[in-house]
């Protein structure tokens, strides 16, 4: 049963020229990938993800951090994009100026076909050298863990943003620019608790955008948003996409 979308939101969505969507782990959760907070399963139960996702943890125990990401990479590569991912591709195609900003590192938005896309926290499918920064798009999974950089012999690390590290400057500036121009801003499946991504909905609001949160759980944003759709992204995004997709002949008939 389709969720009831407020008519005010539908009116704004059909009229909006600039739309920005921020996604978090709640979108990937529907593809079976545990959220960052839930990423404490099995052997990793003893570790705090926020402790492992730091340069200090990597320097202290490169093998442990490498193995944690190797296991998450395997899980993410085995996952498939879900209805939310494909609905966001439809929204990108149906809205004049659309930008998807994701905190997720699993690459599912790209695999679903999103191209107006900023991966603010990087992508687990890529690695780079901890020392010289040279990128690696392939490495020997059976050899040393972490593998060594082909360029300088340093240790490879996942190309993700760890806590305490700055976000990629170009991506972050593009995110701020689009957010300041947005007529409509959606915060979808994120706890809106990690900075500076969590500041985007606030910047949108301050810049005059209509801010919508889609999350089954209350977050720091819920009471500040103009509209909080208390539902999963998969229940809402496909319904929104149908309001902006060009009607096919048979649907017009
Ligand atoms: C930086 C990649 C400075 C790695 C991640 C200002 C104020 C306070 C703190 C700070 C601040 N500025 C910086 C900080 C520190 C820190 C921070 O914000 N800490 C927080 C915890 C207080 N920020 C940083 O360190 C950032 N760096 O600012 O450095 C700097 C500047 C210049 C130069 C040098 C330094 C870097 C932050 C990026 C960290 N990397 N990911 C990895 O993944 O391994 S963050 C990671 O956690 C995720 O990407 C995500 O963004 C975040 C939260 O994860 P989750 O909670 O799992 O996911 P999400 O938030 O998306 O929430 C899940 C939602 O889904 C929930 O709402 C839940 O209800 C919902 N849900 C659950 N199940 C379902 C569901 N929805 C639908 N269906 C379901 N089934």
């Amino acid at each position: 049963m389709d969720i009831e979308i407020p008519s005010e939101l539908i009116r704004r969505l059909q009229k909006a020229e600039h739309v920005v969507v921020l996604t978090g782990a709640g979108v990937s959760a529907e593809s079976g990938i545990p959220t960052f907070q839930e990423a404490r399963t099995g052997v990793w139960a003893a570790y705090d993800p926020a402790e492992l996702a730091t340069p200090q943890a990597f320097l202290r125990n490169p093998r442990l951090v490498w193995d944690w990401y190797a296991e998450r990479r395997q899980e993410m590569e085995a996952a498939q994009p879900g209805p939310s991912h494909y609905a966001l591709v439809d929204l990108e195609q149906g809205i004049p100026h659309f930008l998807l900003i994701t905190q997720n590192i699993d690459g599912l938005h790209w695999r679903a076909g999103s191209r107006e896309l900023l991966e603010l926290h990087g992508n687990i499918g890529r690695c780079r050298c901890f020392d010289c920064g040279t990128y690696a798009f392939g490495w020997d999974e059976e050899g040393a863990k972490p593998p060594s950089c082909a360029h300088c012999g340093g240790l490879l690390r996942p190309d993700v943003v760890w806590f305490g590290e700055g976000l990629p400057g170009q991506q972050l500036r593009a995110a701020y620019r689009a957010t300041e121009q947005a007529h409509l801003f959606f915060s979808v499946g994120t706890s809106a608790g990690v900075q500076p991504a969590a500041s985007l909905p606030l910047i949108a609001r301050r810049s005059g955008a209509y801010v919508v949160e889609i999350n089954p759980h209350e977050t720091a944003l819920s009471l500040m948003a103009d509209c909080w759709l208390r539902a999963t992204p998969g229940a809402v995004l496909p319904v929104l996409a149908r309001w902006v997709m060009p009607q096919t002949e048979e649907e017009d008939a």
Side-chain angles (χ1 to χ4, degrees):
M1 192 260 289
D2 279 351
I3 183 171
E4 182 69 30
I5 305 290
S7 53
E8 169 70 6
L9 176 54
I10 292 167
R11 185 183 66 76
R12 287 175 179 270
L13 181 63
Q14 290 184 311
K15 199 178 78 174
E17 290 280 315
H18 291 266
V19 174
V20 173
V21 176
L22 172 68
T23 60
V27 169
S28 299
E30 298 178 334
S31 295
I33 297 174
T35 67
F36 202 76
Q37 327 290 355
E38 293 159 358
R40 308 163 117 120
T41 51
V43 293
W44 304 109
Y47 298 95
D48 171 1
E51 282 302 307
L52 283 178
T54 65
Q56 294 77 7
F58 184 75
L59 287 172
R60 215 173 24 248
N61 191 336
R63 174 67 192 261
L64 177 76
V65 175
W66 177 266
D67 287 349
W68 183 52
Y69 279 92
E71 187 165 315
R72 290 173 69 197
R73 185 180 299 112
Q74 213 168 22
E75 195 174 59
M76 291 174 176
E77 285 171 351
Q80 295 305 318
S84 294
H85 296 98
Y86 291 111
L88 287 163
V89 178
D90 290 340
L91 286 167
E92 174 181 317
Q93 288 162 359
I95 291 169
H97 302 282
F98 178 91
L99 182 64
L100 173 54
I101 302 170
T102 190
Q103 301 169 93
N104 302 333
I105 62 170
D106 52 46
L108 287 180
H109 286 305
W110 179 266
R111 283 171 54 193
S114 288
R115 290 299 177 266
E116 296 300 327
L117 171 65
L118 294 178
E119 293 180 320
L120 275 194
H121 293 162
N123 186 309
I124 202 167
R126 285 190 309 268
C127 278
R128 66 177 193 268
C129 177
F130 191 88
D131 295 328
C132 72
T134 302
Y135 281 97
F137 294 89
W139 49 86
D140 174 9
E141 290 288 2
E142 301 314 313
K145 293 180 172 59
S148 300
C149 166
H151 184 69
C152 79
L155 294 178
L156 290 188
R157 53 162 288 175
D159 184 29
V160 300
V161 180
W162 280 332
F163 286 97
E165 292 185 322
L167 276 61
Q170 203 175 356
Q171 310 261 38
L172 189 55
R173 282 190 297 276
Y176 285 141
R177 220 175 13 254
T179 298
E180 285 159 357
Q181 291 170 349
H183 299 128
L184 204 42
F185 186 102
F186 291 91
S187 179
V188 184
T190 179
S191 58
V194 172
Q195 296 294 351
S199 62
L200 292 172
L202 310 177
I203 292 169
R205 175 107 167 135
R206 204 175 51 217
S207 307
Y210 188 83
V211 176
V212 180
E213 178 176 47
I214 301 172
N215 197 320
H217 310 287
E218 182 168 354
T219 72
L221 186 63
S222 305
L223 301 179
M224 186 284 282
D226 295 292
C227 170
W228 171 23
L229 298 175
R230 196 164 194 163
T232 62
V236 176
L237 292 173
V239 179
L240 293 180
R242 285 202 291 274
W243 283 101
V244 295
M245 289 309 288
Q247 296 300 309
T248 54
E249 284 70 49
E250 55 268 17
E251 281 167 325
D252 281 340

